[in-house]
Amino acid sequence: MKRTVSLLFIAALAALLLYVVANMPPMGDPANPTATHVIPRYLENAEEETHTENVITGIILNYRGYDTMGEVTVIFCALAAVLAVLGRERRGAIEGFVDRSEVVSSTIVRTMVRFMVPFILLFSLYTIFHGESSPGGGFQGGAIIGGSMIVFTTIFGLAESSRRVPQRIRAALEGAAVMGFFLVGALGLLGGGEFLTYAWPKVAPGLQPSLVVWLTILVEVGIGLGGAMVLTSILFAMIREEEIATAS
Amino acid sequence: MGTALNLALIVLLLTTAILAVTARDLLAAVIIFSVYSLIMALMWQRLQAPDLALTEAAVGAGVTTVLFVVTIFKTRRREEE
């Protein structure tokens, strides 16, 4: 009975969704409303208004500032939820199950990880700093830093990697990233513009393009480092097993 | 050439999606889901969305896979019937 009802429900939902998809404007049609109003406006004015060469970054970090604010808040809330359930480690050394694994990682793996991690970090910095001129940006770069932390933690253990990136650094960066984002966003409002626009008509009618670019990069770096620390903290909270008694 | 590649990607995407949902071994499901993300990243690139492709590859195929594996390690590996 239950099965039949859920199957019927899924079938009805699928039919509805397929009907809607069939009635959507065809993808890539130049007569679509998005293609006649929104896209031309972005493509024609984005570089001039946002001073970013990569239009995507201009849209995410300028035109759609409120969307990005929601995303930043969601990521921060995810961390807060994980920490509320699992708890933040106390300051000092901690141990996770990777530290007590019976399989010892071989010299080849350790050497490769030691060799690779700096390059992964370099690539993530490239992704973050070139977000305004090429694909990528804060979120992507931050996730790559988080990935490198995962690789490092898997091989060298939680104790070692939490010593490298201690909690006080993570907590400070997580908070600072969110605060910095809201601060730069609010500066746009105070300056007489919109949230997260870097044009401040009241303060300075013609803001230097270079300053706008630097502010964009600042926001990217904030999102990148904050996101990376959030991912690292979530990983640490999840694999943490016990505190080492000598700590704190 | 382009159409053939797109078709192959879509078939692979659907196959991995169904396998990820139906797999009883949750660790296998997570690995298949990571493959799904990787194919999705390729599709984003084919749709000329390199920003999304980067995000999908880093977050979908990388970070979430590890978080899922950690969760399985701390709970149970087999799905109960």
Side-chain angles (χ1 to χ4, degrees), chain A residues 27 54 56-57 60 97 123 127 131 134-137 139-140 143-144 146-147 150 154 231 234-235 237-241, chain B residues 45 47-60 62-74 81:
Chain A
M27 187 181 139
N54 182 14
I56 310 277
T57 305
I60 292 175
F97 54 73
F123 177 65
T127 315
S134 66
F139 282 117
Q140 292 90 336
I144 295 170
I150 289 172
T154 318
L231 288 174
I234 290 179
L235 177 80
M238 283 177 79
I239 65 175
R240 176 173 63 107
E241 294 266 286
Chain B
Q45 182 59 42
L47 291 166
Q48 303 184 357
D51 287 79
L52 272 179
L54 258 176
T55 316
E56 183 77 45
V59 178
V63 176
T64 50
T65 306
V66 174
L67 293 185
F68 280 139
V69 169
V70 169
T71 313
I72 289 171
F73 198 94
K74 288 217 152 186
E81 182 58 18

Side-chain angles (χ1 to χ4, degrees), chain A residues 117-169:
Chain A
V117 164
F119 286 101
I120 301 176
L121 286 174
L122 185 66
F123 177 65
S124 71
L125 288 181
Y126 170 83
T127 315
I128 293 174
F129 281 105
H130 281 251
E132 51 91 30
S133 56
S134 66
F139 282 117
Q140 292 90 336
I144 295 170
I145 297 182
S148 72
M149 283 309 298
I150 289 172
V151 171
F152 188 85
T153 310
T154 318
I155 302 305
F156 289 98
L158 183 57
E160 176 71 19
S161 88
S162 72
R163 204 172 57 75
R164 297 280 173 97
V165 194
Q167 190 204 316
R168 58 175 197 286
I169 291 183

Side-chain angles (χ1 to χ4, degrees), chain A residues 21 25 76 78 88 90 97 105 131 137 145 160 163 182 186 216 228 233:
Chain A
V21 167
F76 196 72
R88 173 93 82 174
R90 258 178 268 127
F97 54 73
S105 50
I145 297 182
E160 176 71 19
R163 204 172 57 75
F182 278 78
T216 314
S233 288

Side-chain angles (χ1 to χ4, degrees), chain A residues 102-123:
Chain A
E102 279 153 30
V103 187
V104 183
S105 50
S106 72
T107 316
I108 296 172
V109 173
R110 295 175 80 89
T111 312
M112 278 315 287
V113 168
R114 214 187 281 275
F115 179 75
M116 287 298 290
V117 164
F119 286 101
I120 301 176
L121 286 174
L122 185 66
F123 177 65

Side-chain angles (χ1 to χ4, degrees), chain B residues 4 7 9 15-16 21-22 25 46 54-57 77-78:
Chain B
L7 265 178
L9 282 177
T15 318
T16 47
V21 174
T22 49
D25 185 343
R46 300 274 311 153
L54 258 176
T55 316
E56 183 77 45
R77 185 171 163 182
R78 295 255 152 209

